[in-house]
Amino acid sequence: MRKWITTVSLLVTASVWGQALPPGVTPQMVQQVQSMSPAQQQALAKQYGINLPGQAAAPSEAASALGEQGESLTQAEQVELDAEVTNAESTRAGGGGSARYGLSLFDSKVSTFAPTDDAPVPESYRLGIGDQLIVQLFGKENAQYTLQVGRNGDVSFPKLGSINLMGLTFEDARELLKTRVAQQLIGVEVVVSMGRLRAIGIFMAGEVKVPGAYSVSALTTVTQALFQSGGVTGIGSLRNIEVRRGGEVVSVFDTYDLLMRGDATNDIRLQSGDVIFVPPYQGVVEITGEVKRPRIYELKGSETLADVIAMSGSYRTRAYPGLAVLVRKATGTALPTALSVNLLDQRTLDMPVRDGDILRVPASGDTLTNTVTLEGAVYRGGTFGWYEGLRVSDLVKNPVTDLLPEADLSYTLIVSVKNELLDIELNQFRLIDAIVAPGSNQDPVLKQYDTVLVFSLPDLDGAGATGSNTRARLLSPVLAKLRAQAREDEPVQVVSVSGAVRSPGTYPLFAGTTIADLVRAAGGLKDSAYLQSAELRTLREDKGGALLATYKEIPLARELSPTTSTVLQSRDHLTVREIPDWSPQDSIDIRGEVAFPGTYLIQKGERLSDVIARAGGFTDEAFPEGAIFTREEVARKEADRARKFAADIRQTFATRLLTEETVGSNLGEVAQITAALESFEGQGRLLVDLTAALAGDTLADVEVADGDALVIPKQNRSVTIVGEVQQPGSHVFQAQYSLQDYLSLSAGLSTRADDKAIYIVRANGTVQTLETSWWRFSGASNQIQPGDTIVVPVNTQYKERLASWREITQIVYQSIVSVAAVARL
């Protein structure tokens, strides 16, 4: 800081006086200073205690703190110290580091001050020693004169002599000069304007950042003088700035009048010799919370809570002034006290505030009064106004226009607040009854703060755009509240149901809830529900406090009657059984060469022969030996085995990496193989013998299951040969041909063929190998059947003849060499 001020001082002096540049001062810095206006150069020089050429020092400047460079440096450092004091004072006032309101008005970091030398001069301005007038004559005589008011108050006007203008307003002086010219210079007109204004000397005292004597323009006001002095310190008053003239206080300026009301009445124009005195502030008060301008405000000593609220700009929209808090340091004690105050009471608003008070205005809650809520499967859910006598039918009038298509009209809940503890109680009703009979006993009357829950049908849960109307989602907060409000004398009011109902789960219990109500809450029974009996579990405590469960068989069909249904208790559980072997939707898909292909519903115990008979049997083109029968469960098992195989491959590969075993594949190849295995979905083919099944073989007549598929292909009169033969392909079946005949039709085996591992894949998917059944292929013409595939695998130990001769030659050569070596011995 000290180096910067010194550099600026030398820079201004060198640029204005034309001296040699001091070390560290560049020509660019000089050019920047020279580009300033004279008024800006003078202001900069005055700020750092320098007298520029042609600038007369005010009489009191000799005693100014800015008269010597060393002293100006000390005061500049004081500015930094005052900034620290400001922050510390703001924290002391409880602002958490926020500045006192208005303190940043004169912040030098944000320059809003412009010199007043070029400002227009008001007509009421009174001339004094040093003021200049520019007089321009035209007509018979053209001339321009610059007249300066001398020490005796006169101006010397050529051809007119001395004219006294001291103390006259600018308007009066202009009229006087016009009159004198008109009287003494015939045929000459005159235009009078102000030239350079005189400089006046003022003194800034008290809590200003840079106190001392200042030479300022005669048009300078109180605020402009404060701008030039850097503003007030952290403890300086913004509301009691005094202007003293001749030993008396002529004006007291309150910056809050200017900032809050735009009133600059007391921002008077200064005169030479005026003293601006800024005393320390008398007190501060802080207001926080829901006000438009939460800040620390200065007190003048007579403010009330109403004045503080007005200074903060009044309340925000969410303010709750009826329960504000006033934190005040109690007299004679070390700890402050908190007072609850109602700012809506005029007597409270008239309460005087003290230094250090903190007023907190809280926010109002989101809860609305006189409201009811409609939520769930409705088009226009939300909050509605409540009035005495409001019914459900007033909120939902038409099921087509007011409810979503998936709305459940047979089960609706009303959640009500029943006491001051905000405990809830519930009422179950049928929404369709309220819509059909509005105003009746079936149309409940709503109370203030009631919530109507409209659920979606269990079979359509989540069918809406958001899926947020399900029983689970809407009942979750209700059940949580019921569990939270459970007490020793009032157990949790919930019951549950499981089994063959559309929406099993836990549901609220209200007075008089029956088994029929619980089943209705769960969306009703499934088609598979067993109506003869159900199980009801009831919990009770014995004398020792242990919890005992009692199970009771109940006739479900009779319990669903509204006249005989059992009333439920807390934590009862209903289990609805399913009909044994219930499978109304199980089906099998039959395609191909049957009389009536399609999808057939099946029941437990049906077999392949049964469903083929229901499909009308085989057509004349049917080829039952090549039937393809698939089952979803088998496909899932195949996929599971493939994934397990992939995991085994990865584990084996990782184990080999940790040992000295040779790894034949890299990580990329292993990953590619395992990825293919993990994506394998499985075919699910189950080998069946339809001919035996239709012939009465119970072992071959498989029992069908849901999801099975049977494809009966057309007659296949071909035999296919693949693998290591000279010419793979398909040939027309010939009953008299043997295996060797079909191999001959394919030009025989290749050199790489393994003639001992030939096998046959039958049309139904079974496999027969030559090794285990060689006698079947030795001349018996009926062993090759239509649709068979002859597979000739490759010999994995095959070697080319050239390689074999190379090995034999090498062995013979090595033997000859050995014999020759022995012969030499």
Side-chain angles (χ1 to χ4, degrees), residues 505-569:
T506 303
Y507 291 90
L509 174 68
F510 51 91
T513 300
T514 63
I515 291 179
D517 295 328
L518 179 58
V519 172
R520 188 181 304 112
L525 299 175
K526 291 183 178 179
D527 295 338
S528 60
Y530 185 63
L531 298 179
Q532 300 302 319
S533 67
E535 182 183 80
L536 179 64
R537 186 209 67 183
T538 301
L539 299 179
R540 62 181 180 85
E541 292 184 6
D542 61 7
K543 295 181 180 179
L547 196 63
L548 300 179
T550 302
Y551 298 92
K552 177 182 178 182
E553 292 291 326
I554 59 173
L556 185 59
R558 190 181 67 182
E559 288 292 340
L560 296 180
S561 173
T563 57
T564 58
S565 187
T566 302
V567 177
L568 298 176
Q569 302 176 10

Side-chain angles (χ1 to χ4, degrees), residues 285-289 291 293-297 308-309 312 359 361:
V285 62
E286 183 180 7
I287 182 169
T288 62
V291 291
R293 190 169 52 235
R295 205 72 62 83
I296 301 172
Y297 294 92
V308 175
I309 295 171
S312 68
L359 180 62
V361 180

Side-chain angles (χ1 to χ4, degrees), residues 222 241-245 248-251 268 270 274-276:
V222 177
I241 301 173
E242 299 177 353
V243 179
R244 300 182 178 183
R245 184 174 298 161
E248 297 181 358
V249 177
V250 297
S251 177
I268 63 173
L270 301 176
D274 283 353
V275 176
I276 299 178

Side-chain angles (χ1 to χ4, degrees), residues 350-614:
D350 295 336
M351 179 188 303
V353 292
R354 301 176 185 173
D355 180 24
D357 283 353
I358 301 176
L359 180 62
R360 299 172 182 170
V361 180
S364 62
D366 295 330
T367 303
L368 305 177
T369 59
N370 295 329
T371 60
V372 292
T373 303
L374 180 63
E375 188 177 354
V378 294
Y379 282 116
R380 290 168 293 278
T383 301
F384 297 88
W386 174 84
Y387 55 86
E388 194 71 35
L390 179 70
R391 294 180 179 269
V392 173
S393 61
D394 296 323
L395 301 180
V396 182
K397 301 179 182 296
N398 189 320
V400 177
T401 59
D402 296 339
L403 300 177
L404 296 177
E406 68 268 18
D408 188 351
L409 298 178
S410 62
Y411 177 65
T412 311
L413 287 181
I414 298 177
V415 183
S416 304
V417 178
K418 68 177 182 178
N419 55 30
E420 291 78 6
L421 297 176
L422 301 181
D423 292 341
I424 62 173
E425 60 182 359
L426 297 103
N427 179 24
Q428 176 179 329
F429 70 101
R430 287 167 49 90
L431 183 58
I432 187 62
D433 295 339
I435 296 175
V436 172
S440 65
N441 293 334
Q442 296 175 332
D443 185 13
V445 177
L446 298 176
K447 297 181 294 184
Q448 189 176 192
Y449 304 123
D450 277 358
T451 298
V452 181
L453 301 179
V454 180
F455 303 94
S456 60
L457 291 168
D459 294 338
L460 298 177
D461 276 351
T466 61
S468 59
N469 306 323
T470 63
R471 281 163 161 76
R473 208 282 299 175
L474 293 177
L475 286 177
S476 178
V478 176
L479 296 175
K481 178 62 177 175
L482 289 175
R483 294 187 180 96
Q485 71 185 35
R487 302 177 182 86
E488 183 178 357
D489 57 342
E490 185 178 349
V492 58
Q493 299 299 300
V494 294
V495 290
S496 57
V497 59
S498 63
V501 291
R502 287 188 171 87
S503 184
T506 303
Y507 291 90
L509 174 68
F510 51 91
T513 300
T514 63
I515 291 179
D517 295 328
L518 179 58
V519 172
R520 188 181 304 112
L525 299 175
K526 291 183 178 179
D527 295 338
S528 60
Y530 185 63
L531 298 179
Q532 300 302 319
S533 67
E535 182 183 80
L536 179 64
R537 186 209 67 183
T538 301
L539 299 179
R540 62 181 180 85
E541 292 184 6
D542 61 7
K543 295 181 180 179
L547 196 63
L548 300 179
T550 302
Y551 298 92
K552 177 182 178 182
E553 292 291 326
I554 59 173
L556 185 59
R558 190 181 67 182
E559 288 292 340
L560 296 180
S561 173
T563 57
T564 58
S565 187
T566 302
V567 177
L568 298 176
Q569 302 176 10
S570 170
R571 294 177 293 186
D572 279 357
H573 180 81
L574 177 67
T575 302
V576 179
R577 302 186 178 98
E578 289 192 348
I579 297 175
D581 300 328
W582 174 261
S583 56
Q585 301 299 325
D586 291 355
S587 63
I588 183 174
D589 189 18
I590 303 178
R591 300 190 303 274
E593 296 301 317
V594 292
F596 306 104
T599 301
Y600 289 85
L601 297 178
I602 58 176
Q603 62 180 352
K604 187 176 179 61
E606 283 197 84
R607 297 182 178 272
L608 280 174
S609 59
D610 298 327
V611 296
I612 292 175
R614 291 171 58 190

